[in-house]
Amino acid sequence: MTLKEIAERARKDVKVPIAERDVERAISALLASEDIWRVLDLSGTPVMALVRVLSTLRELGLLSWDGGRLVLTPAGRELADNLGIGPRRELKCPHCGGRGTTLGPVERIAGKFREIAADRPEAIQDYDQGYVTEETTLHRVAFMWSRGDLYGKDLIVLGDDDLVSIACALTRAPRKVVVLEIDRRLVEFIGDVAEKEGLPIEVKQHDLREPLPPELKARFDTFFCDPTESLRGFKVFAERGIAALKGPGSAGYLGLTHCEASYAKWREIQRFLLEAGAVIAELRDAFHDYVNWPYIDHMRSWPHLPVHRLPGREEIWYRSALIRIEVVEGPTIEERRYEGDIFADEEAATT
Ligand SMILES: [Fe+2]
């Protein structure tokens, strides 16, 4: 049995891309853990592809999950051995959790931010919400500061269930922070905090399927967003963010997962960013850790999972890369109006 044969069998009758390398990553993750959430995390493979690979391995007698654990059979272990696949090693830096940054001046607002975030609105499925840990938001702010994209700058945040605008403004580093957010609860929450703390935040209710309000076009030094991950949805966020930037030297930040985006999709996204006039200046994988959202047993991939154990709230398995782009020329953006569902595509797993 080869990786190619397993991948071909897994791909049968499904639209989601499954590469041979995904099969290798799955086996490597299975050698490292028997827990479904750890395997999802360690495999770095889209959930909807991974569940197909797991079923295929089981059909071939290489994997079993009868006791609620994902256990490679003796035949599965023998195959891994024959193919030269070893257990996945994470090897994260214990000091920064692999982010490569320290909080520095952001440390002094950490307590205040955690206190504010304790009263945040809970994530809801309507807008594909799912927020990152407070630790993650603080590291994002430190990262932006360290790259010269925060201090003295005008910042726009597109969709802010992570409360990035509040953390940024609490540091008093940015000149101004504008938030566009569709969820009325968050608009009110961020507005109330800004008023109470005297923060330079302006928050507007806005559906990003609509083009930017004209007064926000080409006005900002930095944008931040954590897009929904259908290719179409990702472009909606990226287009609005890039359209908000002043021009060359302006920077943008976006999140991107492996859970819902294959490398085929990453490539499309990278092509889109390059064609818009930007360079991918930095990409830090697994920078963002997400708190498990309350609708996890109603997400798209749930019925396909081999084992149905609810993870703990802070049992992190869903992570995303932090991408920093910088505009080199242009930018060139065709501002379109989008209709209908922007959340779904064949790789969507948590919508
Ligand atoms: Fe480190």
Side-chain angles (χ1 to χ4, degrees):
M1 184 69 57
T2 64
L3 291 175
K4 186 163 182 257
E5 284 162 345
I6 299 170
E8 273 168 8
R9 196 175 163 128
R11 279 197 292 263
K12 200 169 175 291
D13 303 323
V14 292
K15 284 193 188 132
V16 56
I18 301 171
E20 284 169 48
R21 193 67 200 260
D22 292 327
V23 179
E24 182 184 331
R25 278 190 275 263
I27 294 171
S28 184
L30 289 164
L31 286 166
S33 176
E34 297 181 348
D35 178 75
I36 179 63
W37 301 106
R38 277 301 282 159
V39 169
L40 285 169
D41 183 14
L42 288 173
S43 72
T45 299
V47 177
M48 296 306 284
L50 184 68
V51 294
R52 282 292 304 182
V53 172
L54 297 178
S55 306
T56 305
L57 294 174
R58 179 151 106 151
E59 282 162 26
L60 295 168
L62 303 168
L63 178 68
S64 100
W65 54 68
D66 298 332
R69 311 287 296 172
L70 301 171
V71 183
L72 284 166
T73 63
R77 291 189 169 270
E78 197 188 321
L79 178 78
D81 211 32
N82 290 341
L83 295 172
I85 301 172
R88 169 88 155 89
R89 303 263 183 233
E90 208 172 23
L91 310 181
K92 265 190 191 171
C93 169
H95 304 290
C96 63
R99 295 188 178 101
T101 44
T102 184
L103 289 181
V106 179
E107 185 76 62
R108 67 189 161 74
I109 63 113
K112 184 77 193 169
F113 178 68
R114 288 179 207 277
E115 196 183 296
I116 291 169
D119 296 324
R120 70 198 310 162
E122 192 44 271
I124 51 172
Q125 197 163 13
D126 306 32
Y127 308 118
D128 189 27
Q129 288 170 349
Y131 50 78
V132 297
T133 61
E134 279 122 40
E135 179 82 6
T136 299
T137 296
L138 293 165
H139 273 277
R140 269 181 187 168
V141 177
F143 191 94
M144 286 194 273
W145 199 333
S146 72
R147 269 51 178 182
D149 297 326
L150 190 74
Y151 190 90
K153 304 288 184 174
D154 291 343
L155 179 76
I156 186 166
V157 182
L158 306 161
D160 197 16
D161 58 338
D162 296 331
L163 311 180
V164 174
S165 59
I166 293 174
C168 285
L170 280 171
T171 66
R172 308 284 166 178
R175 199 163 59 167
K176 183 174 76 175
V177 184
V178 173
V179 180
L180 297 183
E181 170 57 57
I182 193 168
D183 184 347
R184 178 53 69 189
R185 302 172 311 148
L186 282 162
V187 170
E188 279 170 17
F189 181 80
I190 295 167
D192 288 349
V193 170
E195 199 184 317
K196 188 159 161 259
E197 304 293 333
L199 303 175
I201 301 177
E202 201 182 307
V203 52
K204 294 175 198 284
Q205 191 180 26
H206 182 78
D207 181 340
L208 288 172
R209 290 176 301 177
E210 299 293 323
L212 285 182
E215 71 276 14
L216 299 182
K217 279 181 195 166
R219 293 292 299 278
F220 294 87
D221 303 294
T222 307
F223 78 79
F224 191 94
C225 65
D226 196 358
T228 186
E229 298 215 353
S230 69
L231 184 57
R232 192 161 165 266
F234 192 96
K235 282 184 181 170
V236 170
F237 280 76
E239 281 175 10
R240 305 301 179 226
I242 293 169
L245 296 179
K246 286 175 183 168
S250 303
Y253 290 86
L254 309 111
L256 183 59
T257 69
H258 294 292
C259 284
E260 305 194 78
S262 58
Y263 279 132
K265 194 192 281 182
W266 278 46
R267 186 161 175 255
E268 289 301 316
I269 285 169
Q270 293 188 10
R271 198 198 318 268
F272 164 78
L273 295 169
L274 295 174
E275 283 172 0
V279 64
I280 297 166
E282 287 178 78
L283 193 155
R284 295 241 164 208
D285 209 353
F287 190 97
H288 299 134
D289 295 344
Y290 294 75
V291 175
N292 284 313
W293 44 93
Y295 57 88
I296 209 151
D297 51 350
H298 293 278
M299 65 181 184
R300 181 171 181 243
S301 58
W302 177 261
H304 302 278
L305 296 180
V307 173
H308 291 102
R309 175 179 75 76
L310 278 170
R313 192 171 154 78
E314 301 241 3
E315 192 181 338
I316 310 293
W317 64 278
Y318 191 87
R319 301 178 208 271
S320 71
L322 176 66
I323 300 175
R324 177 180 183 271
I325 62 168
E326 188 167 311
V327 177
V328 176
E329 63 175 45
T332 315
I333 281 290
E334 189 197 329
E335 273 212 276
R336 285 168 287 185
R337 170 173 280 111
Y338 290 82
E339 308 260 340
D341 184 353
I342 59 164
F343 301 127
D345 72 3
E346 71 277 5
E347 292 177 347
T350 63
T351 49

